[in-house]
Amino acid sequence: MCGVRLVPSCFECVALTFGSASLYQAHNIMMPGPNSITAEFTSIWRAFVPFPSYQVFQRGGYFSVEVIPDSVAVISLNTMYFYDSNTAVGGCARTEPQDPGNLELDWLEVQLQMFRDRGMQVWLSGHIPPSSRNFYSECYVRYLELSLRYQDTILGHVYGHMNMDHFFLLDAEQLGNRTTRSDDASFVPALVDDDGSDNDDDDQDEPASVLKHNKKELYRLLLQEFSDLPRAQNLNHDNYAVVNVAPSVVPTYLPSFRIFAYNTTGEAYLPGQLGNASLDESQPGRPSRSLKALSGALCADAEHAESWRCHLEEEWHSNPESPSRMNRLWTPLGYAQVRGVCVCGGGCVWVCCELTECFFMFCIALGLIDRISSSQSVWTAHWPTIQYTLRKMDEADESHPPKFKLEYLTFPVTSLHPPPKADGADGNATEGDNYNGAVDAAVSAEAHSGANKFWYPIPRRHLPRTLRNTTLTRSKKFAPYGLEDLTIPSWTALAQRLGRSKAKRLRQKFKQYMYMGGAGEA
C-alpha cells in the first residue's frame, strides 16, 4: 500500500483563488522572498510542504515532494517569478544570478538531476504555462532547455491559468531559431487571467469582445503549430515536451477536474549511468545534443552572445525507452475529465486552485482516490465523496455530493472494459438503468480473477450509460482522441491529426473542450 500526499500546486493562483489578490502590492506582482506572502503560505501549507523544503518554500514558494517514495516525485513551481507581468523581478537575465527566477531554475536543475540520479520519475506542476508569451524570454529558454535535457526523467508538465483546456508542445527548434513573440507559432497567448480579465497591460480597458477574439486566436495558433509539425517518419521525439493546460475549477468557467491513470507494472526505467544505456544518450555514435550546440551560429550575434541559450552546454538526456516515450512503469495512460456543478456564494473558500493541474495528489486528499497497490494499473476512485469547498465542509457527506458528469476521456473506448475473453460472453456488462454497485462489484470480481487481471481506467458505475456498453468501440462525444497512453509520441501524433485540415470533426471537439465543454452525440 502506498500513500500519496496532497501537493498544493501553483503558488500564485492559490492566493488569487482564496480571494487574496489584495495581498499583492499590485495585480500579478510578487516580490522576491522571503516576504509576507511566502511566510503566510508556509503557515497555511505546513502540513503539505515536506520539512526539508521549508526554507526553500519560505524563500520562493516552490518545493518538491516524493508522492511515491523512491519512485515518483512532483515539483511544484512558483511561476510568478517567470511571469512577464511581474515587473518586480529581473526576468531570469543571465547577468542577474540572484534574480528569483534564476534561483528557482537553479534549484529545479538540482532537483531534476537528483531525482534522475536516483532513477525516479518527476511531474512538473505550476500555474502559468511555460510559453514564450507568458514567460520572460530568458526564463522560457531555461525552462525549455531543462525540459528537454531531462526528458527521460520528466513524465509531464501540468499547468492552468488560461481557463481553457488545451495542450501544446515545447520544441527544441524554437531555441535554435530567431523567433519572437509575434512569429512564434507555438506561443500560448496570455489571454485570460484568473479573475477573468485580459492580462495584457495594453488592453486592460478593452471591451469583453476582445476576450472572444483572443480565444479564437489561441485555437488558430495551436492548429498552425500542429500543422507545421514534420511528418511522422521525420519527427524526432527527442526534440519535444508536452504541456497540458487544464480548465478552471472555478464555477465561473465551468468547473472541471481530471483523474489520471498510469502504469504500475513492469521494471523501473534507469538512466544510462544507472545501468540502462542500450538506447540512452551515452550510446556510442549517438550525437551529443545541448542548447549551445543547437543555437549554433546564433551565438555569434551580439544579440544572443550573452543569453542563456549560448551558455548552456550540458548534454540532453532522452531515451525512447523512458516512461515519457513508451508505456512502462509510471507512464501516464490517460485521464478522464469531469465537469462539476458547484454553486457557491460570496466568501466561498476553495480547497485548491486548478485541481486538474495539481494532478492526483489532490484526488486522494479530496476522497477521489482511495488507494494504489503494486499490482494495480490505475487508481481506485470514489467520486461521490468529492468536496469542492471548505465552506460548510462539515455538512457535506456521501448523501449530499455535488453534481458532476464526464466531459471526455483520452482513453480508447475499447480500453474501458475487459477484452471479450476476459469479460466473458454471458452478458455481464452494465445494463443501463438496472445498473448498480453490486453488479459492478460482481463484474469486477470476474474480471480480476484468473492470471490476467483487468483494472478499469474508469469505474464502470461512473461511466455514462452509452460507455457502459461493452460492445461499443467508438464514441465521438466522450472519446474522440483515442490515445493509447499519454507519452510524447501519443501527444505529437494527436497534434499531427489536429494539424490536418481534413480533420474537421476532431478539430471541432478539440475546440469545444477548449471553450468550456463539448457537445454532440456519441
Side-chain angles (χ1 to χ4, degrees):
M1 192 78 63
C2 178
V4 178
R5 298 188 63 185
L6 170 68
V7 177
S9 180
C10 69
F11 189 83
E12 173 254 6
C13 80
V14 169
L16 294 178
T17 305
F18 270 69
S20 305
S22 58
L23 289 175
Y24 301 107
Q25 294 179 347
H27 187 51
N28 290 326
I29 300 299
M30 184 172 181
M31 302 294 292
N35 53 47
S36 60
I37 299 173
T38 59
E40 179 71 15
F41 280 93
T42 300
S43 175
I44 294 173
W45 289 358
R46 184 168 295 275
F48 309 132
V49 179
F51 179 76
S53 297
Y54 276 2
Q55 185 174 5
V56 169
F57 187 80
Q58 287 178 327
R59 182 187 74 184
Y62 44 88
F63 66 101
S64 65
V65 59
E66 294 185 33
V67 293
I68 302 178
D70 300 316
S71 297
V72 179
V74 174
I75 296 177
S76 179
L77 296 170
N78 175 10
T79 52
M80 281 300 296
Y81 288 150
F82 312 142
Y83 192 27
D84 64 3
S85 291
N86 183 10
T87 56
V89 295
C92 304
R94 184 173 166 272
T95 55
E96 298 184 36
Q98 296 303 308
D99 172 73
N102 277 327
L103 293 176
E104 183 172 358
L105 290 165
D106 290 344
W107 171 85
L108 176 60
E109 179 179 0
V110 171
Q111 295 291 301
L112 290 171
Q113 185 62 52
M114 175 188 70
F115 289 127
R116 186 173 190 271
D117 289 344
R118 295 173 58 191
M120 295 179 61
Q121 293 294 301
V122 176
W123 284 91
L124 295 186
S125 176
H127 180 56
I128 301 166
S131 72
S132 60
R133 175 70 177 187
N134 290 330
F135 282 15
Y136 282 105
S137 60
E138 290 290 79
C139 298
Y140 175 65
V141 165
R142 288 200 65 185
Y143 184 95
L144 200 160
E145 191 272 339
L146 288 172
S147 299
L148 298 178
R149 192 199 313 177
Y150 292 98
Q151 189 202 70
D152 68 345
T153 302
I154 299 172
L155 289 170
H157 307 249
V158 280
Y159 288 84
H161 181 67
M162 306 296 292
N163 297 316
M164 286 177 283
D165 178 348
H166 63 284
F167 74 95
F168 63 94
L169 305 177
L170 299 178
D171 183 352
E173 295 303 320
Q174 298 171 18
L175 298 181
N177 295 332
R178 301 172 186 271
T179 55
T180 64
R181 286 185 177 183
S182 60
D183 59 18
D184 182 1
S186 69
F187 88 89
V188 178
L191 307 177
V192 187
D193 218 330
D194 304 278
D195 59 1
S197 63
D198 184 336
N199 65 3
D200 189 333
D201 294 339
D202 295 333
D203 297 323
Q204 287 298 316
D205 297 324
E206 293 291 333
S209 60
V210 173
L211 175 63
K212 184 176 181 180
H213 171 75
N214 281 338
K215 292 168 78 172
K216 291 181 179 179
E217 184 73 0
L218 172 59
Y219 172 72
R220 184 190 68 79
L221 287 165
L222 288 173
L223 292 188
Q224 181 63 52
E225 173 191 354
F226 298 156
S227 65
D228 289 341
L229 287 171
R231 294 180 179 272
Q233 62 269 27
N234 299 323
L235 192 145
N236 183 355
H237 292 111
D238 290 355
N239 290 340
Y240 297 96
V242 181
V243 178
N244 279 271
V245 182
S248 176
V249 76
V250 179
T252 304
Y253 296 104
L254 187 60
S256 301
F257 58 87
R258 294 172 181 169
I259 297 178
F260 284 74
Y262 58 89
N263 193 336
T264 63
T265 63
E267 297 182 358
Y269 165 80
L270 296 178
Q273 69 266 33
L274 295 180
N276 182 3
S278 60
L279 290 171
D280 201 274
E281 70 285 339
S282 58
Q283 183 180 16
R286 183 179 177 119
S288 175
R289 290 166 54 82
S290 70
L291 177 55
K292 183 176 181 179
L294 184 67
S295 299
L298 282 180
C299 295
D301 296 346
E303 177 185 357
H304 300 289
E306 294 304 317
S307 67
W308 277 112
R309 71 175 68 196
C310 295
H311 291 269
L312 294 173
E313 303 180 76
E314 291 78 7
E315 187 171 331
W316 291 357
H317 309 301
S318 59
N319 190 328
E321 292 187 354
S322 65
S324 66
R325 298 274 293 275
M326 69 174 290
N327 185 358
R328 59 182 303 156
L329 181 63
W330 307 129
T331 294
L333 301 177
Y335 65 77
Q337 182 153 301
V338 180
R339 249 183 1 224
V341 179
C342 176
V343 180
C344 181
C348 178
V349 179
W350 290 91
V351 171
C352 67
C353 72
E354 305 290 350
L355 179 65
T356 49
E357 80 190 32
C358 302
F359 194 54
F360 54 81
M361 296 74 66
F362 276 116
C363 296
I364 195 170
L366 302 183
L368 292 171
I369 302 305
D370 178 63
R371 66 185 186 277
I372 183 172
S373 68
S374 59
S375 62
Q376 287 182 280
S377 60
V378 297
W379 292 91
T380 301
H382 291 278
W383 297 33
T385 59
I386 299 168
Q387 303 294 331
Y388 281 101
T389 70
L390 290 174
R391 185 184 184 204
K392 299 182 179 179
M393 190 169 66
D394 57 337
E395 298 178 10
D397 54 39
E398 293 187 5
S399 299
H400 303 86
K403 296 179 181 180
F404 58 91
K405 64 179 181 179
L406 178 70
E407 183 177 3
Y408 74 93
L409 43 80
T410 62
F411 306 94
V413 172
T414 53
S415 71
L416 301 179
H417 303 284
K421 290 183 179 180
D423 197 35
D426 53 0
N428 283 329
T430 301
E431 298 179 354
D433 293 335
N434 296 324
Y435 177 77
N436 57 52
V439 172
D440 182 70
V443 175
S444 296
E446 180 176 341
H448 294 170
S449 63
N452 298 319
K453 296 182 178 180
F454 181 85
W455 297 96
Y456 293 90
I458 310 298
R460 291 159 58 111
R461 64 187 179 277
H462 298 310
L463 288 174
R465 195 173 305 162
T466 55
L467 294 185
R468 298 176 190 177
N469 181 356
T470 58
T471 64
L472 191 69
T473 58
R474 299 179 64 186
S475 173
K476 297 177 182 178
K477 179 178 181 179
F478 294 111
Y481 297 157
L483 301 181
E484 295 294 335
D485 51 46
L486 301 184
T487 58
I488 293 171
S490 292
W491 282 115
T492 54
L494 175 59
Q496 288 171 323
R497 289 164 56 197
L498 287 165
R500 299 169 188 158
S501 59
K502 294 182 179 180
K504 294 182 179 179
R505 291 184 178 179
L506 183 63
R507 286 184 170 191
Q508 183 62 28
K509 298 305 294 185
F510 180 69
K511 187 175 183 180
Q512 289 172 343
Y513 297 148
M514 178 184 290
Y515 301 146
M516 322 311 175
E521 297 299 327

